[in-house]
Amino acid sequence: EADIYQTPRYLVIGTGKKITLECSQTMGHDKMYWYQQDPGMELHLIHYSYGVNSTEKGDLSSESTVSRIRTEHFPLTLESARPSHTSQYLCASSESGPRKDTQYFGPGTRLTVL
Amino acid sequence: SQQGEEDPQALSIQEGENATMNCSYKTSINNLQWYRQNSGRGLVHLILIRSNEREKHSGRLRVTLDTSKKSSSLLITASRAADTASYFCATDVGGNTGKLIFGQGTTLQVKP
């Protein structure tokens, strides 16, 4: 089992609320990622980070924002949630360096915005 | 459009049979990885094959890669009910970004 954790596992909130999805890993990995996945569909990269104070937008445009103040922590924030944000959000991490290509995933947060 | 396309989208077999899933991609890759996802959970890495490799084995898993056809296949031999899950291929296009592009996945059901 990978040492990467996400909280909450499930979240149901009303439109307009601000939310933060937490992701932490204890493996000391430099690289971290956020993916969005709708049921039965592929994963879309929405944010990634190469290390502390490094964040980049992914291939899928997202209204969420991320921060990386500590190596182990990579939270994702939605300032004003909308029903279109309903999805599963998966956090992952990987090591840096040659041939360190495997990503380790957390269990995911399933978000429902009413 | 997505880098990876998988077929079939869904596969249902009996326990003990072999399951084969295919993945095609569009651009040059550094490596191709297969992941498994149990319903509503995170992904678990299964196997990685590099662009200069043609075949790789891990337990009951066999992966092939044909870079000329830009395709890969995952074979699960002697399937078990516990193999029921969704299987995704993911391509690493290089540049040391670590970014992966995932296919749409194959949902495998193994009936006991």
Side-chain angles (χ1 to χ4, degrees):
Chain A
E1 290 290 322
D3 295 322
I4 180 164
Y5 309 98
Q6 290 185 245
T7 58
R9 290 293 316 282
Y10 303 92
L11 180 60
V12 181
I13 59 166
T15 297
K17 300 291 186 184
K18 177 181 179 179
I19 61 165
T20 296
L21 307 185
E22 302 287 350
C23 176
S24 295
Q25 50 95 6
T26 58
M27 297 173 283
H29 289 170
D30 286 327
K31 296 178 181 176
M32 295 190 74
Y33 313 85
W34 276 103
Y35 293 90
Q36 184 174 343
Q37 183 187 30
D38 290 328
M41 301 297 288
E42 67 266 47
L43 282 72
H44 293 282
L45 181 69
I46 53 175
H47 298 283
Y48 60 101
S49 168
Y50 292 142
V52 171
N53 294 326
S54 149
T55 60
E56 302 283 347
K57 289 194 177 294
D59 303 319
L60 180 69
S61 176
S62 174
E63 293 167 347
S64 58
T65 59
V66 292
S67 62
R68 188 90 182 275
I69 299 172
R70 304 197 315 265
T71 297
E72 63 271 21
H73 195 212
F74 191 39
L76 180 146
T77 298
L78 275 166
E79 290 292 333
S80 179
R82 293 204 300 271
S84 61
H85 296 138
T86 294
S87 190
Q88 172 152 272
Y89 293 84
L90 293 162
C91 180
S93 69
S94 67
E95 295 180 81
S96 291
R99 307 182 79 84
K100 305 284 190 188
D101 306 308
T102 299
Q103 291 190 12
Y104 298 86
F105 282 81
T109 294
R110 188 170 295 280
L111 173 65
T112 302
V113 184
L114 303 175
Chain B
S1 61
Q2 280 298 305
Q3 162 82 321
E5 294 185 3
E6 296 183 58
D7 85 278
Q9 289 191 336
L11 182 59
S12 182
I13 60 174
Q14 294 294 136
E15 212 166 23
E17 294 180 340
N18 295 342
T20 299
M21 295 160 244
N22 302 295
C23 170
S24 61
Y25 57 92
K26 295 183 172 65
T27 65
S28 297
I29 62 171
N30 187 40
N31 64 68
L32 185 145
Q33 304 178 34
W34 286 89
Y35 287 80
R36 166 195 167 125
Q37 183 180 35
N38 286 77
S39 180
R41 305 282 299 183
L43 278 71
V44 175
H45 180 261
L46 295 176
I47 195 166
L48 179 153
I49 187 164
R50 300 198 181 277
S51 59
N52 61 352
E53 297 175 315
R54 292 297 167 257
E55 186 170 316
K56 209 162 181 182
H57 296 255
S58 176
R60 293 183 297 114
L61 304 179
R62 172 176 168 255
V63 170
T64 62
L65 179 65
D66 186 336
T67 52
S68 66
K69 295 181 180 177
K70 291 187 169 55
S71 67
S72 173
S73 67
L74 171 68
L75 168 68
I76 303 174
T77 60
S79 63
R80 306 166 182 167
D83 294 329
T84 294
S86 292
Y87 292 82
F88 293 88
C89 69
T91 51
D92 178 347
V93 297
N96 200 32
T97 63
K99 291 165 58 178
L100 296 177
I101 302 174
F102 283 82
Q104 293 181 323
T106 293
T107 300
L108 172 65
Q109 181 186 30
V110 182
K111 298 175 184 176

